[in-house]
């Protein structure tokens, strides 16, 4: 008999939250770069600007909303993907084909993106507050305060502003992260050159992070613009047209900082997830 460990449904949310706590400053700088109407600053310049204006702690502005987002968006998509994936493996007694992983990633990511939209919007707003004039700041005290004030001042509908974009981005990120991680790990282990250890997890998650960054960047730019808007965009198409006026590169604005943020976040998430699975996962004896 052999023993395997299986993830619990909430492990993905915990792992993503731990990773977000470390990579949050990179996420904040990415949001600042994407909400520039003209490309005036690069990553290092934007970082220095934030620190000089507001201090080092400003790099952690909106951390509570980021954690709230991970415990809604990431928890949901990981729970759906891992639960269904485990059931499929039990039924077929083998790994899922890659196309099924992609389809499952799309479904889980779309659902998670929709569930996490309110927290995601508050996260974007809190991060962007640092760079706007004092009289225009929203000054949310924390994530729950932001959610309540948006509901009270702008209505329930505004909480799901950009939900289509957030859900679509969530679907692509989940394909890039979860489906590509599963496949990369399967291929690496299949060579027989590496064991199922932290080095394999690092390599597979590095590949997955790169795939996720390239797949979701255009949607990430549009989602950030929609969520940070104060009514200037009447529709998604209007946002696409306005962004397109800046040239094709505008859809990949902040690609490097997005990769610098998303790749480490992906690597840390899967390393934490694998360690949680090993230490606290459900024991399966075969």
């Amino acid at each position: 008999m052999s023993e395997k460990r299986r993830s619990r449904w909430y492990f993905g949310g915990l792992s993503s939250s731990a990773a977000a706590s470390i990579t949050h400053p990179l996420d904040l700088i990415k949001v600042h770069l994407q909400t520039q109407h003209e490309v005036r600053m690069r990553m290092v310049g934007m970082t220095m600007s934030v620190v000089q204006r507001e201090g080092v702690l400003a790099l952690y502005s909106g951390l509570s909303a980021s954690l709230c987002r991970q415990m809604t968006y990431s928890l949901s998509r990981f729970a759906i993907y891992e639960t269904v994936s485990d059931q499929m493996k039990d039924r077929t007694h083998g790994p899922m084909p890659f196309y099924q992983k992609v389809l499952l990633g799309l479904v889980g990511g779309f659902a998670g993106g929709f569930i996490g939209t309110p927290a995601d919007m508050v996260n974007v707003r809190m991060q962007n507050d640092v760079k706007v004039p004092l009289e225009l700041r929203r000054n949310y005290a924390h994530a729950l305060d932001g959610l309540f004030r948006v509901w009270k001042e702008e209505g329930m509908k505004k909480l799901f502003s950009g939900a289509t974009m957030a859900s679509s981005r969530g679907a692509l990120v989940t394909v890039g992260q979860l489906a590509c991680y599963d496949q990369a790990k399967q291929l690496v282990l299949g060579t027989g050159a590496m064991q199922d250890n932290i080095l394999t997890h690092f390599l597979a998650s590095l590949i997955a992070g790169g795939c996720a960054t390239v797949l979701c960047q255009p949607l990430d730019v549009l989602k950030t613009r929609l969520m940070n808007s104060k009514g200037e965009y009447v529709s998604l198409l209007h946002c696409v047209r306005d962004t397109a006026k800046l040239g094709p590169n505008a859809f990949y604005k902040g690609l490097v900082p997005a990769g610098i943020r998303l790749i480490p976040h992906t690597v840390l998430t899967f390393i934490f997830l694998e360690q949680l699975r090993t230490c606290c996962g459900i024991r399966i004896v075969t």
Side-chain angles (χ1 to χ4, degrees):
M1 291 190 298
S2 62
E3 180 183 293
K4 294 189 296 184
R5 294 278 182 162
R6 183 169 288 177
S7 286
R8 300 181 188 273
W9 64 272
Y10 52 85
F11 279 2
L14 294 177
S15 302
S16 296
S17 296
S21 299
I22 298 171
T23 62
H24 185 76
L26 296 172
D27 194 29
L28 180 137
I29 297 302
K30 179 204 71 173
V31 168
H32 284 204
L33 289 168
Q34 290 176 346
T35 52
Q36 291 182 106
H37 288 288
E38 296 177 6
V39 180
R40 295 189 299 271
M41 291 188 185
R42 300 296 180 184
M43 185 176 181
V44 175
M46 184 65 78
T47 304
M48 295 302 296
S49 175
V50 171
V51 171
Q52 287 170 1
R53 285 199 319 268
E54 304 290 335
V56 175
L57 290 180
L59 293 173
Y60 280 90
S61 176
L63 179 60
S64 64
S66 180
L67 296 179
C68 182
R69 174 177 178 262
Q70 297 301 335
M71 290 305 292
T72 50
Y73 159 65
S74 285
L75 187 146
S76 302
R77 66 195 183 104
F78 270 90
I80 292 169
Y81 185 92
E82 294 281 350
T83 302
V84 176
S85 177
D86 288 339
Q87 290 176 352
M88 294 287 287
K89 289 174 184 176
D90 289 342
R91 188 176 303 171
T92 61
H93 303 290
M96 293 166 56
F98 183 58
Y99 79 90
Q100 289 184 358
K101 296 175 185 176
V102 170
L103 291 174
L104 181 55
L106 288 171
V107 173
F110 193 88
F114 182 80
I115 292 168
T117 297
D120 198 5
M121 185 185 69
V122 172
N123 181 39
V124 168
R125 287 185 171 190
M126 288 181 74
Q127 290 177 347
N128 203 54
D129 239 15
V130 177
K131 74 172 188 178
V132 299
L134 289 173
E135 64 274 11
L136 296 177
R137 292 184 180 182
R138 296 180 171 99
N139 292 318
Y140 298 148
H142 47 74
L144 294 180
D145 177 56
L147 291 169
F148 178 75
R149 280 180 53 190
V150 173
W151 170 70
K152 185 179 179 181
E153 298 168 9
E154 303 176 58
M156 179 64 74
K157 187 177 179 181
K158 188 63 178 178
L159 280 172
F160 288 90
S161 172
T164 302
M165 192 56 54
S167 299
S168 301
R169 178 191 177 275
L172 291 178
V173 170
T174 306
V175 169
Q177 287 185 326
L178 278 72
C180 290
Y181 175 80
D182 265 2
Q183 192 67 19
K185 182 180 173 184
Q186 181 184 325
L187 292 173
V188 169
L189 292 175
T191 64
M194 299 179 71
Q195 302 298 315
D196 190 359
N197 53 31
I198 196 168
L199 184 58
T200 298
H201 305 157
F202 173 81
L203 181 59
S205 58
L206 193 65
I207 295 168
C211 293
T213 302
V214 174
L215 279 173
C216 76
Q217 186 61 14
L219 291 179
D220 197 23
V221 170
L222 294 173
K223 182 209 72 169
T224 300
R225 285 176 171 268
L226 282 169
M227 289 184 170
N228 195 54
S229 72
K230 295 184 177 179
E232 59 263 38
Y233 298 127
V234 296
S235 66
L236 171 59
L237 186 59
H238 183 202
C239 183
V240 172
R241 286 174 177 169
D242 187 65
T243 307
K245 289 177 183 177
L246 302 174
N249 289 340
F251 290 100
Y252 279 90
K253 184 185 289 183
L255 178 64
V256 172
I260 291 173
R261 176 257 168 191
L262 186 56
I263 292 173
H265 182 270
T266 303
V267 170
L268 290 170
T269 295
F270 282 109
I271 286 177
F272 290 148
L273 180 65
E274 294 284 6
Q275 294 308 306
L276 277 174
R277 178 184 290 150
T278 301
C279 298
C280 311
I282 300 169
R283 297 172 65 183
I284 304 294
V285 178
T286 56

